[in-house]
Amino acid sequence: MEDVSLLWLFCTFFYIGLFTVGGGLVAITMMQQTIVDKGLITPEQFYNMIAISESTPGPIGVNMATFMGYKFYGIPGAIVTSIGQVLPSLLCILIIAKFILKFRDNACVKTIFNFLRPAATGMIFVIMVRICLNVLINIPEDIKSLSSLDNWKDFFVWPSLSFYILLLWLRTQFKIHPIIMIFSGALFGIVFC
């Protein structure tokens, strides 16, 4: 794993926070591109952080930043990355609050926000697909070894897929609370993964 400085972490999470439009789930895609794709943490560590961040109180983007900062530098890293993630939003809100009455009916501003909504939705969809592929489908590290899968049954992670389908069925049939689903998923992950 490559060494990174606290300044690099702050700048990276400031960048992520600055361009995260659409919520913390969009930040996850950007974090994957800047942290995982550069080999600083493994995809498995990243997806574990997502699971923990979703399960803990607070915004997922800030939770992810905190966990990543903690992974690299402990508590000082957690503080630096959290501040880096939140600071751009805070600055933008202060600027917007000052000028909102002047620009809220501006056609250009409305057009920008009409563009940003589908873009944010697409980024959320990308991370959802990546999580599903990582958790439910057995893709070998070397794509050439796909031929080594004896048949289609080896292609799926059956315990995870079965549990996912069971939770979907329980949710639709009995309207179980999402918190119960989160705790069930955490328990399943601890016991079976």
Side-chain angles (χ1 to χ4, degrees):
M1 178 170 34
E2 183 179 319
D3 288 327
V4 295
S5 67
L6 277 171
L7 178 62
W8 184 88
L9 282 175
F10 175 81
C11 293
T12 298
F13 282 92
F14 186 88
Y15 162 78
I16 291 169
L18 186 63
F19 291 102
T20 298
V21 178
L25 292 174
V26 175
I28 292 173
T29 304
M30 294 180 73
M31 287 178 199
Q32 182 167 21
Q33 292 169 347
T34 51
I35 305 293
V36 179
D37 292 350
K38 290 185 179 181
L40 299 175
I41 63 172
T42 66
E44 184 178 349
Q45 290 172 322
F46 182 72
Y47 293 125
N48 287 337
M49 286 181 185
I50 291 173
I52 293 168
S53 296
E54 271 293 336
S55 303
T56 53
I60 188 170
V62 177
N63 289 349
M64 287 287 293
T66 304
F67 283 126
M68 287 198 197
Y70 186 81
K71 169 142 182 54
F72 290 109
Y73 283 102
I75 292 175
I79 292 169
V80 165
T81 55
S82 297
I83 291 171
Q85 179 75 22
V86 171
L87 190 59
S89 299
L90 180 64
L91 294 174
C92 287
I93 288 170
L94 291 174
I95 292 168
I96 289 170
K98 183 168 178 68
F99 297 107
I100 188 71
L101 296 177
K102 185 175 180 181
F103 292 108
R104 75 174 166 196
D105 294 326
N106 184 306
C108 183
V109 171
K110 287 182 180 180
T111 301
I112 289 170
F113 278 104
N114 286 337
F115 169 76
L116 289 176
R117 284 185 194 106
T121 302
M123 291 180 80
I124 292 168
F125 180 74
V126 165
I127 197 63
M128 182 204 68
V129 168
R130 286 183 172 181
I131 290 171
C132 286
L133 287 174
N134 185 274
V135 173
L136 302 176
I137 297 178
N138 186 17
I139 299 176
E141 291 290 328
D142 180 16
I143 199 70
K144 293 177 184 175
S145 63
L146 272 176
S147 60
S148 69
L149 295 174
D150 293 333
N151 58 34
W152 65 272
K153 293 178 185 175
D154 295 336
F155 192 65
F156 296 101
V157 180
W158 287 106
S160 298
L161 184 62
S162 302
F163 186 73
Y164 176 72
I165 291 169
L166 173 67
L167 281 183
L168 282 179
W169 180 78
L170 289 172
R171 176 79 178 137
T172 57
Q173 294 299 313
F174 301 106
K175 309 292 186 224
I176 62 171
H177 198 277
I179 294 293
I180 295 171
M181 293 177 68
I182 290 170
F183 283 122
S184 300
L187 183 62
F188 177 83
I190 290 168
V191 173
F192 295 103
C193 296

